[in-house]
Amino acid sequence: MEVFGRNLLNGISFGMVLFLAGSGLSVVMGVMGITNLAHGALYMLGGYVGWTVAIHYGMNFWLAVFLGGLVSGLIGLTIERIFLRHLYKQPNEQVLLTFGFVYIITNLCIWIWGGRPRMQFSSPALSGLLDIFGMPYPITRLVIIAMGVIVAIVLWWLQDRTRIGAIIRAGMDDKEMTMGLGINLERVSMLVFFLAAFVAGVAGVVGAQLMGVHSILGLDILLVALIVVIVGGMGSVQGALSGGISIGLIDTFGKSLFPQFAMFTMYLAMVVILLVKPSGILGRRV
Amino acid sequence: MTFPAFLGSARDACAAEPIKIGAILDFTGPVADLGPKFKAGIELALEEAGYKVAGREIKLIVEDGATDVTVALDKFKKMADKDQIHICIGPLMGDAHLAIAPYAAEKKVIITSLINGMFETIKYKTYLIYPTTVDAQTYPFGQYAFQKLGYKTMITVGANYAGKIGYTNGVKKGFEDAGGKVLQQLWPPVGAPDYSPFVSAIKKADVVMFALEGPGPVSRFIYQYRQAGLKMPLITITQDGDYTPEALKELGDIALGIKGEASYSWQINTPINQKFVKAIKAKTGKVPSCSEQNGYTLAKVMLEGLKATGGDDSYNKLWPAVLKLKMDTPQGPLSFTPEGVAITDVYVTEAQKVGGEYVLSPPLYTVKAIRDWRLPKK
Amino acid sequence: MAARGSPLQDLITRFLPWIGAGVVLGILPALLPSYMQSIWTKFLIFAIFATSFDLIYGHAGLLSLGHAAFFGAGGYAVGVLMLHTGITSFWVGLPLGILVAVAIAVLFGFISLRVSGMYFLLVTFALAQLLYSVAWNWLWINSPGMQGIAGIPLPDLGIPSLEWNTIYFYYFVLIFFCICFYLVYRIMNSPFGYALRGIRESEIRMQALGYNTWLYKFIIFVVTGAFAGLAGVLFAYFNRLISPVYLGVGTSFLPMCMVIIGGSGTRIGPVIGAMVIIFVEYFSSLFTPERWPLILGGAFVVAIMYARGGIVIYLSRFWKQIGYRHGSIEG
């Protein structure tokens, strides 16, 4: 029973990191029709920045989370403003462009931070164990779950309950009409892109508590985020959340029960969804 | 320094050309810490020889293998085809050995391992396996766990790639040959971000042995093991990149008391080692781990071999010359089997806290002249 | 149009590119040192790979992000054949490699073409990574003790007196390159090729005209898989090692770069792109090997933003300016 409870919480906490990593990607894909393959690199960049703030300069962990998000957000915004904007209506070229940035950002990270991976780090205040029904459980993971929930609520509120969210959803359905109503969709798109990149950077620091930071994260996280999008459905916060939690649980329980298939569980889930419901668990259309 | 042109016989003209020694080390990737350490060791040996041997200059060409077998092979091909090296120190990873060995045999280039070697490469007759094969290195430790530490049952957790699979299998065989029983073997994939599924699958035994691919995974594993509240003692392999001074500092208290097998400790109490430690400290500011030592000793082996052949670095002359060497190294006495596998001593060590600093202990136990059990007896 | 020259001048300008290519590809390599010859061989192999990618991207307009799956599959077939049966005969390895690549392409094509647009990209990417993961873990297709298959020898052509060296292997690959180049030209200029370009422009219009667009896309997907598999077979013999890396995204990225930089939708664009990338990689390995991904990514971004037609566009303008009247280089 304890093993099950531990796996459950581990799966959910891991799933929250996946949600944080994938939510930005999913929303940008659904809202702006841009597949930002550099999303994983932005996650990694945030993680490196967070490490510098928290470990190299020894400052507050939450400051590190914020700054990690901020730097990634700004870099993401730069990519959008200077490059992607000029490729409007050319989705293939946009995707290719972002792929090029994966290489650029990854190599710049190696140049700045060196090839050595960074071990997982967190706030010293979170380093203990909490007793949950007699089972000692690390506080960092509980905090990750809490953060995931908070971010999910905030994003969902933005998406469903604010004017901005309504504009985004309208733009997703019919861009021309929305612009025809006099709404500055471009400004809103900029904001969405920045926010998505910001969340990716935040995810990088939050996830670093579990996984540390290394130079292959750019591609590793991209793959995971893509699977989250495929499984959960693109374009919505709830889609990313359902995808993230599902994959987190499947991966954790899979590794625990069938260790020899450790690498496959995620892919299996993806292939099953593609065959059964290609638009994803909470996806809107194929 | 070159020979004056008017001394020109064909032999002198040949002697004027530098001997090129290649090295494939990893400066990027999971073991990126170790590249500069190996390099420091190799350079120290060459510096001590003045970058000359038997009247010929030595040119060291260092390439980054990036811990990627395809990159290592590409770099090796470049050095063999373009730079025309006949000696290559490294690469580190076992799969790179397997990939490069057939090509090296074709091109007649002598290669050396860096931390241990793959038994399968022996058949190519160009591979110097130092300090010994992966499995043979940890076999005595398996015996030690049963005979001296008194454990009867064991669970192994080994990262799922050649190097650590070999270590784990060596420990298992030694342990079981001595009378113990391995109850369960777990193989987390390389780069697993989360060991908790594996930790939660660990059953009950007298001891848990783990061998993972670097200080990051090691710290994650120990951390998550303790977080899960498991009480069984841990043992590991206390060498490679896991127990460099930097890694010990990052691991901190959680590594204390975990015994392991190592091929070297800087606290080995011999004059040749003390001289070596002093030289490395002067060069890099830190005490050596087995990386610096192995780089140093391998370069010295090459130098001694070249001395014996009078500067001839061709395979046909150099390979037999190296196999005949008997040397004292900072790590201990060294000789080679006819197949090219080194015969060395191996030790048991652990992490210690001495005066606020985390260091690798002196040898707690020594096994002399280990030799892979699969090699034909002398 | 430039003024017409004499018939002899016309003949020369018409055939000059071919003569030039003949010299560069046929004669020059024989004069180079051995290591450079192997670089040229690598360029030819990747030119085939890039051309196969251009067929699906430049002509059919489908961005397949996991094209290395077919490349690597061909290579693995050769490796597994050697590993488990000891057969190194090229005449077994080549058809087997292409067959395996085609089988993978059929399977992946079915799954990927169930979705379109953004999802298609993601699925092709994820499927290639799945194959990577399989190759990493499935013990049967790995040399013992490592990921991938090492020690792949040079191909056995069944000619007893033939001893391989670098230049022989180069000309061997050159033969296949020419065959592929010709085949692609035939495909591009066939009714099938025209239909593909129609689908790229507007799939709905083609469907309205009664074309079974799914079938066309599926066929070209499999055909390009076959070409990529061929390149993979040659690569396995060239590289002497096949590894999961060659199934992964890093390898998929290379033909994309080559096609964008060289010029997509053209016949020689991918070839020129391959030449540029392989040689810049070589020079980078001499001076700044650790910055190569940055150079590659940077060149790629610049090409997408500012040089959309690729180098081919500049070449073709240059050529037209000096009176070349053999129609366009565009196939």
Side-chain angles (χ1 to χ4, degrees):
Chain A
M1 188 55 212
E2 177 172 325
V3 172
F4 176 82
R6 193 172 289 281
N7 275 337
L8 185 67
L9 287 175
N10 287 344
I12 295 178
S13 52
F14 184 49
M16 281 302 179
V17 175
L18 298 181
F19 157 67
L20 288 173
S23 56
L25 180 68
S26 180
V27 169
V28 165
M29 280 172 72
V31 169
M32 301 169 74
I34 297 176
T35 305
N36 180 12
L37 295 181
H39 196 79
L42 292 170
Y43 172 103
M44 177 178 70
L45 179 64
Y48 272 118
V49 168
W51 180 89
T52 304
V53 171
I55 302 295
H56 192 70
Y57 289 116
M59 298 202 265
N60 182 288
F61 181 72
W62 300 110
L63 183 64
V65 171
F66 175 74
L67 286 177
L70 190 63
V71 170
S72 290
L74 291 173
I75 298 290
L77 191 63
T78 311
I79 296 177
E80 200 272 332
R81 282 286 90 193
I82 299 185
F83 298 95
L84 283 173
R85 187 162 57 107
H86 299 286
L87 296 176
Y88 178 61
K89 275 215 190 303
Q90 295 170 72
N92 282 346
E93 277 73 14
Q94 286 176 332
V95 170
L96 289 171
L97 182 92
T98 60
F99 205 15
F101 272 104
V102 176
Y103 279 69
I104 295 177
I105 296 177
T106 301
N107 202 247
L108 283 175
C109 284
I110 293 179
W111 203 350
I112 299 175
W113 281 280
R116 188 173 64 91
R118 302 298 194 268
M119 294 198 262
Q120 68 276 24
F121 59 93
S122 179
S123 165
L126 301 176
S127 58
L129 301 170
L130 195 66
D131 213 331
I132 303 188
F133 303 115
M135 175 180 72
Y137 196 70
I139 297 184
T140 48
R141 283 185 176 261
L142 294 170
V143 168
I144 290 175
I145 298 179
M147 278 212 69
V149 169
I150 293 173
V151 170
I153 292 177
V154 168
L155 288 180
W156 174 81
W157 178 78
L158 273 175
Q159 175 191 274
D160 271 8
R161 290 266 179 273
T162 61
R163 189 174 131 82
I164 302 247
I167 293 174
I168 291 171
R169 280 177 287 131
M172 199 163 133
D173 280 333
D174 192 331
K175 202 167 232 151
E176 265 111 28
M177 192 59 160
T178 314
M179 287 170 72
L181 288 170
I183 293 175
N184 191 344
L185 201 54
E186 204 178 281
R187 288 264 294 277
V188 174
S189 299
M190 263 175 66
L191 178 66
V192 169
F193 206 89
F194 172 81
L195 198 60
F198 180 83
V199 171
V202 163
V205 188
V206 170
Q209 295 177 97
L210 294 183
M211 303 183 269
V213 193
H214 58 270
S215 54
I216 325 262
L217 269 183
L219 285 173
D220 280 353
I221 292 292
L222 173 66
L223 179 67
V224 160
L226 287 179
I227 294 183
V228 165
V229 169
I230 292 175
V231 167
M234 84 159 89
S236 67
V237 174
Q238 19 329 0
L241 189 62
S242 64
I245 301 287
S246 312
I247 296 291
L249 288 170
I250 291 173
D251 186 68
T252 303
F253 277 99
K255 284 198 173 101
S256 180
L257 299 170
F258 315 107
Q260 61 271 28
F261 292 117
M263 279 197 104
F264 292 121
T265 48
M266 274 194 220
Y267 294 108
L268 222 56
M270 176 193 81
V271 171
V272 165
I273 285 285
L274 281 174
L275 294 175
V276 168
K277 184 174 190 256
S279 54
I281 297 177
L282 293 179
R284 294 175 54 186
R285 55 179 184 279
V286 174
Chain B
M1 278 202 320
T2 54
F3 277 102
F6 60 80
L7 280 186
S9 73
R11 187 160 162 273
D12 283 333
C14 171
E17 234 197 59
I19 300 177
K20 296 192 194 135
I21 298 185
I24 301 180
L25 310 171
D26 299 313
F27 297 100
T28 9
V31 291
D33 273 341
L34 305 183
K37 293 177 182 293
F38 286 112
K39 186 159 176 259
I42 298 173
E43 282 175 344
L44 181 66
L46 294 178
E47 279 160 23
E48 283 177 2
Y51 277 87
K52 273 181 76 172
V53 74
R56 287 178 74 177
E57 262 186 61
I58 299 178
K59 184 158 181 272
L60 177 67
I61 306 176
V62 179
E63 295 279 5
D64 182 3
T67 330
D68 183 331
V69 63
T70 60
V71 175
L73 182 62
D74 275 344
K75 294 289 164 71
F76 181 77
K77 280 189 194 164
K78 170 191 167 276
M79 289 200 288
D81 288 338
K82 181 168 177 292
D83 301 317
Q84 301 279 313
I85 56 163
H86 294 107
I87 302 169
C88 179
I89 300 181
L92 174 61
M93 302 301 252
D95 57 358
H97 299 175
L98 293 170
I100 291 178
Y103 195 74
E106 238 176 73
K107 296 277 166 182
K108 298 252 179 266
V109 175
I110 298 180
I111 323 193
T112 77
S113 63
L114 284 177
I115 290 270
N116 47 55
M118 306 294 289
F119 186 77
E120 293 83 353
T121 60
I122 287 177
K123 62 175 181 256
Y124 293 107
K125 296 202 184 38
T126 65
Y127 231 105
L128 282 181
I129 300 184
Y130 173 86
T132 183
T133 61
V134 170
D135 316 55
Q137 201 166 21
T138 57
Y139 180 93
F141 187 61
Q143 293 177 311
Y144 176 83
F146 184 83
Q147 291 162 345
K148 295 280 189 290
L149 294 178
Y151 300 124
K152 304 263 182 298
T153 57
M154 180 192 286
I155 293 177
T156 71
V157 180
N160 196 7
Y161 74 103
K164 298 309 192 263
I165 294 176
Y167 277 174
T168 309
N169 287 341
V171 172
K172 174 171 185 270
K173 187 157 163 57
F175 189 66
E176 290 186 333
D177 280 357
K181 195 158 157 48
V182 170
L183 299 177
Q184 185 191 26
Q185 294 202 281
L186 294 170
W187 305 104
V190 172
D194 199 355
Y195 288 106
S196 39
F198 300 97
V199 167
S200 62
I202 294 179
K203 304 196 194 125
K204 273 206 84 48
D206 288 342
V207 67
V208 173
M209 185 229 100
F210 67 93
L212 301 170
E213 70 270 22
V218 165
S219 97
R220 262 203 300 286
F221 175 78
I222 302 178
Y223 193 61
Q224 287 170 351
Y225 182 89
R226 303 235 189 275
Q227 273 186 346
L230 293 176
K231 295 279 183 284
M232 299 171 276
L234 291 170
I235 56 176
T236 183
I237 312 297
T238 52
Q239 63 165 47
D240 294 3
D242 307 351
Y243 276 64
T244 60
E246 297 87 347
L248 285 172
K249 192 159 155 223
E250 275 195 76
L251 288 169
D253 281 333
I254 60 175
L256 294 177
I258 301 179
K259 291 194 172 50
E261 174 274 339
S263 68
Y264 175 72
S265 160
W266 66 278
Q267 301 207 53
I268 289 176
N269 206 358
T270 60
I272 181 173
N273 185 43
Q274 284 160 349
K275 177 162 169 272
F276 172 68
V277 169
K278 208 155 148 230
I280 287 287
K281 249 184 157 159
K283 190 171 161 68
T284 68
K286 305 193 187 87
V287 296
S289 59
C290 78
S291 313
E292 288 91 341
Q293 199 285 138
N294 291 12
Y296 176 81
T297 296
L298 285 165
K300 280 210 85 85
V301 163
M302 290 292 124
L303 288 173
E304 294 296 315
L306 286 168
K307 251 193 237 161
T309 65
D312 189 342
D313 70 335
S314 73
Y315 168 81
N316 294 331
K317 290 270 166 50
L318 188 54
W319 177 252
V322 165
L323 294 183
K324 292 206 195 74
L325 293 175
K326 283 199 193 332
M327 299 167 52
D328 256 328
T329 73
Q331 184 263 352
L334 169 65
S335 57
F336 288 94
T337 72
E339 297 84 3
V341 183
I343 304 175
T344 57
D345 297 348
V346 79
Y347 311 99
V348 175
T349 63
E350 66 181 358
Q352 288 178 332
K353 193 167 179 183
V354 175
E357 257 194 58
Y358 297 96
V359 295
L360 195 63
S361 70
L364 306 169
Y365 186 75
T366 304
V367 180
K368 296 206 84 55
I370 49 173
R371 198 190 156 91
D372 191 303
W373 65 88
R374 292 163 286 194
L375 291 172
K377 297 290 179 226
K378 286 190 273 236
Chain C
M1 276 292 183
R4 243 197 131 93
S6 74
L8 181 62
Q9 246 180 330
D10 253 356
L11 215 59
I12 292 179
T13 48
R14 181 186 162 118
F15 284 109
L16 205 49
W18 296 105
I19 298 174
V23 168
V24 165
L25 293 181
I27 303 181
L28 180 61
L31 309 170
L32 295 172
S34 158
Y35 186 64
M36 282 308 290
Q37 287 170 347
S38 67
I39 299 284
W40 277 87
T41 313
K42 192 174 180 189
F43 142 60
L44 281 185
I45 294 176
F46 275 91
I48 299 176
F49 187 25
T51 304
S52 84
F53 178 75
D54 194 36
L55 267 182
I56 189 106
Y57 172 68
H59 291 281
L62 292 171
L63 181 52
S64 155
L65 285 181
H67 218 62
F70 317 121
F71 177 81
Y76 262 95
V78 166
V80 173
L81 182 68
M82 179 218 74
L83 186 66
H84 288 290
T85 66
I87 297 179
T88 61
S89 163
F90 185 72
W91 311 116
V92 178
L94 177 67
L96 183 67
I98 296 184
L99 202 67
V100 170
V102 163
I104 304 269
V106 164
L107 180 64
F108 284 11
F110 261 122
I111 301 181
S112 327
L113 288 171
R114 276 174 72 79
V115 295
S116 61
M118 219 53 53
Y119 271 109
F120 176 79
L121 269 55
L122 305 192
V123 171
T124 55
F125 182 89
L127 284 175
Q129 287 300 115
L130 171 61
L131 200 63
Y132 170 100
S133 179
V134 167
W136 188 273
N137 285 293
W138 188 12
L139 285 179
W140 191 75
I141 61 170
N142 284 305
S143 290
M146 62 179 284
Q147 263 71 40
I149 301 176
I152 300 177
L154 288 164
D156 174 15
L157 291 186
I159 303 173
S161 56
L162 178 61
E163 265 217 36
W164 282 113
N165 61 31
T166 332
I167 194 65
Y168 288 163
F169 192 74
Y170 171 79
Y171 284 121
F172 180 68
V173 171
L174 183 62
I175 295 172
F176 284 96
F177 171 75
C178 295
I179 295 175
C180 286
F181 195 72
Y182 176 70
L183 284 177
V184 168
Y185 168 71
R186 292 306 304 265
I187 294 175
M188 279 165 54
N189 282 4
S190 68
F192 182 78
Y194 280 103
L196 276 181
R197 289 195 283 288
I199 294 176
R200 180 189 70 192
E201 296 303 322
S202 169
E203 184 167 356
I204 296 182
R205 213 180 294 152
M206 293 300 284
Q207 283 174 336
L209 285 171
Y211 281 89
N212 182 349
T213 55
W214 182 92
L215 189 62
Y216 275 83
K217 291 195 287 190
F218 181 73
I219 291 177
I220 197 63
F221 195 87
V222 173
V223 167
T224 62
F227 277 112
L230 166 68
V233 166
L234 293 172
F235 183 74
Y237 287 119
F238 165 76
N239 198 42
R240 322 295 287 280
L241 164 78
I242 193 77
S243 152
V245 164
Y246 302 119
L247 291 163
V249 66
T251 307
S252 291
F253 188 56
L254 287 172
M256 289 187 220
C257 275
M258 295 169 182
V259 162
I260 294 288
I261 289 179
S264 70
T266 65
R267 213 168 6 141
I268 64 170
V271 178
I272 294 182
M275 191 184 295
V276 168
I277 298 281
I278 295 292
F279 283 101
V280 173
E281 181 188 32
Y282 168 69
F283 285 116
S284 156
S285 78
L286 296 178
F287 303 117
T288 55
E290 57 289 333
R291 298 280 83 83
W292 163 241
L294 187 63
I295 298 173
L296 185 65
F300 186 63
V301 166
V302 165
I304 294 183
M305 294 296 298
Y306 304 115
R308 191 62 52 70
I311 293 177
V312 158
I313 290 295
Y314 294 107
L315 273 185
S316 114
R317 279 192 212 142
F318 169 74
W319 206 250
K320 284 199 169 78
Q321 275 185 331
I322 63 174
Y324 175 47
R325 297 177 88 244
H326 180 245
S328 68
I329 299 179
E330 187 120 345

